[in-house]
């Protein structure tokens, strides 16, 4: 599996090996009050389009009401205009990144991410550009676009995590026909000299060359539900994926009305169609415009209906693992583009013209706090090897991708009777209803010890549950197969391979500078050894040497059978951790040698080494 699939900063396996976190204090449960806090517990960025002074004063970031709402409610921002051509290339030979820089600096000062928007669009040009394009050759247009993309992406490299590379390139459909590409100076007037979606692919390649780490998106509207326009985009994305064009995601703008928005089923269908191609989706520009009365107000009923629309979209996004960001198009109704672009409409955002929360704010909070976490049995892996498959009694597992949990790492603390807790930071994992001893919890990465009660079963139902401390308890289940043993050896680095966390007989760490003597012994620590005779109490510390794992244990080092001196619980560590002591067989070459333990018929992962003198 790809452990980085969710793109979040939650992947911390290097420091959060279970041994390291046992002594950390458990994070207290804290009720969330802002969208930003609630979104942190879902590991999803929540964003808003924002402005500085790109079109002159006032500088919105100097308005405390605006700035405080932006930084307290949102964890991401996207310049609504400051990174578009009309601002960033005011003359043919000059760039202006100052307003974008100011927005990026604000984001960085407030721990927010930045989406970049956009590099190639059919409109919002500086005044010189359309006249230039009218007489330019395709080769000149290609040079112009390449230079612009390269300069802008390079300027913001490392500070913008995702770019809308090409914006709104497809026509709106007439009838059921799949629409073609929109006329534009980059496509056909005169274009950059490439046919079809070739200009779009080329823009992605230029952006990728300038910042290989940025996520690259195609962004458009009216593609949130199945239909000919989505089909056109999906066909292009499929072609890009097939041909290695560096595209990571599609932006669903989500400019909707109460009378027109995708149903949960329709949105789900489109999210899943892109997930099947390995493509992420960001909801990039959500607003829900309402008809205003002569006083400029929306009706209470419309505001309630709007709240439901926002909740439906966010809930659906949270349920699909490839929906990895949610953003609204403006900080509040006071600064929304809607009244200007759609006369008679407004009140489209979760905060009103006075920057006060609307029903849509509350419904977004509800979606964040009550949507069941995603859970997928194939993301349940052994905590030492990171390999998935069946789980074994006593195995320490790490569950990735459960997208609701403590925003900050919560570690286990032993209770008064010396037992591992069954709840850390509000997170619990149950196997067929039996609460498991918990090692640590962090949204998207939770570690627990499979109860010994699963021994002898064919499969087990894993239930992951989170209590946010605000009265919301939500859970989800996944069924995984059970095996008698699934041994895995702890390694020193986070990859589940490389040097083992192996001790020499004097309890010093085996390493290149501290190899085991050719006639010495090593102590291996692992998990997944299966049931333990006589001391299989969930969450208790191992009672001491003597009781054995219930299946025969063998081992090899350097491919040679090694004499097993001891195999059983690891005294002083939690039940489920196994310790295997080996004597080093004669005749091994000096240096790192692969170590494998086998419990019953199952063997530990490849690639673990101990160093021999
Ligand atoms: C809008 C801005 O909000 C306005 O201020 C500007 O006058 C026009 O553009 N789709 C997009 C956005 O991708 O860039 C647009 O933003 C809204 C529609």
């Amino acid at each position: 599996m790809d452990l980085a699939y969710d793109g979040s900063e939650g992947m911390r396996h290097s420091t959060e090996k279970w041994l390291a976190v046992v002594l950390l204090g458990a994070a207290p449960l804290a009720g969330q009050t802002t969208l930003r806090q609630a979104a942190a517990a879902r590991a999803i960025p929540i964003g808003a389009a924002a402005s500085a002074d790109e079109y002159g004063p006032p500088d919105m970031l100097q308005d405390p009401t605006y700035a405080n709402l932006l930084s307290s409610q949102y964890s991401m921002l996207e310049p609504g205009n400051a990174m578009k051509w009309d601002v960033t290339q005011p003359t043919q030979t000059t760039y202006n990144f100052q307003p974008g820089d100011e927005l990026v600096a604000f984001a960085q000062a407030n721990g927010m991410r930045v989406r970049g928007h956009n590099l190639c669009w059919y409109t919002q040009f500086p005044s010189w550009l359309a006249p230039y394009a009218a007489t330019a050759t395709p080769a000149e247009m290609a040079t112009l676009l390449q230079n612009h993309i390269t300069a802008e992406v390079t300027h913001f490299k490392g500070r913008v995590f995702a770019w809308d590379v090409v914006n709104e390139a497809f026509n709106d459909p007439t009838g059921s026909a799949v629409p073609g590409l929109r006329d534009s100076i980059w496509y056909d007037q005169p274009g950059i000299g490439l046919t079809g979606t070739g200009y779009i692919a080329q823009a992605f390649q230029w952006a990728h060359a300038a910042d290989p780490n940025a996520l690259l998106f195609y962004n458009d509207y009216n593609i949130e539900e199945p239909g000919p326009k989505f089909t056109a985009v999906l066909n292009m994305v499929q072609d890009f994926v097939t041909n290695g064009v560096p595209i990571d995601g599609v932006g669903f703008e989500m400019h909707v009305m109460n009378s027109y928005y995708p149903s949960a089923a329709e949105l789900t269908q489109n999210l899943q169609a892109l997930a099947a191609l390995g493509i992420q989706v960001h909801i990039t520009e959500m607003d829900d415009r309402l008809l205003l009365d002569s006083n400029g107000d929306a009706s209470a009923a419309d505001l309630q209906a709007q709240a439901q629309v926002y909740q439906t979209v966010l809930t659906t996004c949270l349920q699909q693992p490839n929906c990895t960001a949610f953003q609204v198009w403006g900080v509040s109704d006071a600064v929304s583009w809607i009244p200007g672009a759609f006369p008679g409409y407004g009140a489209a955002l979760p905060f009103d013209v006075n920057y006060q929360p609307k029903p849509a704010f509350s419904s977004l909070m509800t979606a964040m706090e009550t949507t069941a976490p995603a859970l997928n049995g194939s993301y349940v892996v052994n905590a030492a090897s990171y390999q998935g498959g069946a789980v074994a009694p006593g195995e320490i597992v790490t569950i990735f991708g459960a997208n609701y949990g403590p925003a900050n790492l919560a570690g286990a603390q032993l209770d008064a009777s010396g037992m591992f807790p069954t709840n850390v930071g509000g997170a619990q994992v149950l196997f067929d209803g039996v609460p498991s001893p918990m090692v640590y919890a962090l949204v998207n990465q939770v570690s627990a010890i499979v109860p010994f009660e699963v021994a002898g079963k064919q499969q087990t139902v894993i239930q992951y549950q989170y209590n946010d401390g605000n009265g919301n308890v939500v859970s989800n289940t996944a069924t995984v197969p059970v095996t008698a043993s699934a041994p895995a050896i702890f390694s020193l680095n986070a990859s589940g391979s490389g040097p083992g966390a192996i001790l020499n007989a004097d309890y010093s760490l085996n390493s290149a500078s501290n190899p085991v003597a050719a006639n010495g012994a090593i102590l291996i620590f692992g998990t997944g050894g299966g049931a333990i005779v006589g001391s299989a109490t969930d969450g208790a510390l191992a009672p001491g040497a003597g009781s054995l794992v219930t299946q025969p244990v063998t081992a090899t080092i350097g491919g040679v059978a090694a004499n097993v001196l001891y195999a059983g619980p690891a005294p002083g560590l939690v039940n489920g951790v196994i310790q295997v002591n080996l004597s080093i067989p004669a005749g091994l070459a000096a240096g790192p040698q692969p170590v494998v333990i086998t419990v019953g018929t199952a063997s530990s992962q490849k690639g673990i080494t101990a160093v021999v003198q």
Side-chain angles (χ1 to χ4, degrees), residues 127-469:
S127 56
W128 60 271
L129 182 50
Y132 174 83
T135 58
T137 65
E140 287 167 336
M141 294 302 289
T143 301
L144 181 69
L145 184 60
Q146 179 176 12
N147 288 346
H148 180 93
I149 290 175
T150 304
E152 183 159 356
V153 175
T154 301
H155 180 83
F156 292 109
K157 184 175 181 175
R159 300 186 291 155
V160 162
F161 84 105
W163 277 103
D164 289 333
V165 178
V166 177
N167 204 38
E168 301 178 345
F170 285 94
N171 284 315
D172 292 310
T174 48
S176 59
V178 173
L181 291 166
R182 191 191 287 274
D183 294 335
S184 91
I185 62 170
W186 312 118
Y187 169 47
D188 60 347
Q189 296 181 345
I192 65 168
L194 297 172
T195 57
T197 56
Y199 89 92
I200 302 174
Q202 180 64 78
F204 276 79
Q205 271 144 357
W206 285 329
H208 183 68
D211 184 357
N213 294 322
L215 298 174
L216 303 184
F217 279 70
Y218 173 79
N219 189 56
D220 214 332
Y221 63 90
N222 287 358
I223 56 169
E224 300 87 358
E225 61 185 28
K229 192 168 179 184
F230 179 70
T231 299
V233 172
L234 188 66
N235 290 346
M236 175 184 73
V237 171
Q238 168 81 75
D239 173 64
F240 284 6
V241 169
T242 302
N243 291 297
V245 177
I247 184 169
D248 300 288
V250 172
F252 287 4
E253 290 186 11
M254 202 66 75
H255 295 292
V256 299
M257 298 187 279
N258 275 355
S259 55
Y260 168 71
Y261 63 94
S263 70
E266 290 169 327
L267 179 56
T268 299
Q269 192 176 326
N270 284 14
L271 291 168
Q272 289 180 344
L274 289 162
L277 300 176
I279 293 291
Q280 303 183 35
V281 173
H282 288 173
I283 307 298
T284 51
E285 305 184 9
M286 184 157 180
D287 49 25
D288 178 26
R289 56 187 180 270
L290 305 180
L291 266 178
L292 303 180
D293 64 21
S294 53
N295 296 322
D297 295 325
S299 74
D302 279 352
L303 291 168
Q304 288 302 330
Q306 176 183 66
Q308 197 54 53
V309 175
Y310 271 101
Q311 186 170 338
T312 296
V313 172
L314 179 56
T315 299
T316 306
C317 174
L318 292 173
Q319 288 170 336
Q320 299 301 318
N322 70 317
C323 188
T324 50
F326 180 88
Q327 183 166 256
V328 297
W329 201 244
V331 173
S332 82
D333 289 338
V335 291
S336 165
W337 75 308
I338 291 293
F342 301 92
Y345 287 84
L349 292 164
F351 294 91
D352 70 15
V353 290
N354 297 313
Y355 295 85
Q356 295 304 306
K358 295 161 61 180
F361 163 82
S362 304
S363 70
L364 288 174
M365 289 294 288
T366 300
M368 291 288 188
E369 294 178 336
T370 64
T371 303
L375 195 65
N376 183 329
S378 56
Y379 295 158
V380 179
V381 301
N382 182 283
S385 67
Y386 294 106
Q387 289 170 1
V391 298
E395 179 179 2
I396 304 175
V397 293
T398 299
I399 303 169
F400 287 100
N403 64 345
Y404 195 22
N408 299 304
L409 181 75
Q413 279 188 317
L414 301 188
D415 68 15
S417 47
M419 303 283 284
F420 269 61
T422 55
N423 181 326
V424 287
Q428 285 192 281
V429 182
L430 301 93
F431 291 73
D432 300 322
V434 178
S436 63
M438 297 287 296
V439 183
Y440 64 82
L442 175 68
V443 56
N444 272 329
Q445 186 173 343
V446 182
S447 193
I449 306 173
V450 180
F452 288 103
E453 286 84 343
V454 305
K457 294 186 173 182
Q458 298 288 312
Q459 60 181 35
T460 181
V461 177
I462 299 180
Q463 180 182 359
Y464 171 75
Q465 179 170 297
Y466 182 59
N467 178 341
D468 74 349

